[in-house]
């Protein structure tokens, strides 16, 4: 959880290190992408956060989906349901950059599983 809270921080080095640590965890055989994304799929602990916190998490989730895929098509990928629900929740954010990042994440999921699996979340 602490690592996820550092994503989107104004300190660029802390943000970059947190991102790289998540990607490294996702590549470890004992951890995997689902483990690395577990804390990312929860809302930020603070009630109000800058848009960069949302976009940073969405970009990282998009990278994990692109690299590891989505379950069940990819057994070591991210679970589709929480990823899509979070992307659609954050799509209602008033900041355009957050909405654009949510659309990119949904597009990455679409590439992995096709329209049939994500269509119900888009309604």
């Amino acid at each position: 959880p602490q690592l996820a809270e550092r994503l989107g921080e104004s300190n660029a080095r802390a943000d970059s290190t947190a991102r790289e640590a998540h990607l490294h965890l996702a590549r470890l055989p004992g951890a995997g992408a689902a483990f690395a994304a577990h804390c990312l799929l929860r809302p930020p602990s603070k009630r109000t956060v800058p848009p960069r916190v949302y976009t940073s998490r969405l970009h990282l989730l998009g990278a994990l989906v692109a690299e590891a895929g989505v379950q069940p098509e990819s057994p070591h990928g991210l679970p589709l349901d929480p990823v899509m629900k979070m992307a659609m929740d954050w799509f209602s954010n008033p900041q355009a950059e957050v909405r654009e990042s949510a659309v990119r994440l949904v597009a990455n999921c679409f590439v992995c599983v096709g329209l049939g699996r994500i269509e119900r979340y888009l309604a």
Side-chain angles (χ1 to χ4, degrees):
Q2 295 288 335
L3 196 56
E5 294 300 320
R6 299 302 299 252
L7 287 167
E9 194 170 283
S10 58
N11 180 335
R13 184 179 292 167
D15 177 59
S16 175
T17 302
R19 178 180 170 80
E20 291 304 316
H22 274 95
L23 291 172
H24 182 70
L25 278 172
R27 294 177 185 126
L28 288 175
F35 177 79
H38 178 71
C39 292
L40 299 175
L41 294 171
R42 295 182 191 163
S45 60
K46 296 178 183 173
R47 183 172 284 238
T48 57
V49 294
R52 68 179 174 272
V53 171
Y54 295 109
T55 58
S56 185
R57 286 185 182 210
L58 289 164
H59 286 156
L60 181 53
L61 285 169
L64 291 172
V65 166
E67 189 172 307
V70 177
Q71 296 173 1
E73 280 78 4
S74 176
H76 301 291
L78 276 64
L80 180 65
D81 190 57
V83 170
M84 287 297 298
K85 284 181 179 177
M86 190 190 75
M88 297 313 294
D89 286 347
W90 289 1
F91 183 73
S92 62
N93 189 290
Q95 298 293 323
E97 61 197 83
V98 176
R99 293 192 308 270
E100 290 170 9
S101 297
V103 168
R104 282 190 215 105
L105 176 57
V106 170
N108 285 352
C109 291
F110 167 76
V111 168
C112 291
V113 298
L115 182 61
R117 294 278 314 280
I118 66 167
E119 192 169 23
R120 68 184 176 111
Y121 300 101
L122 302 175

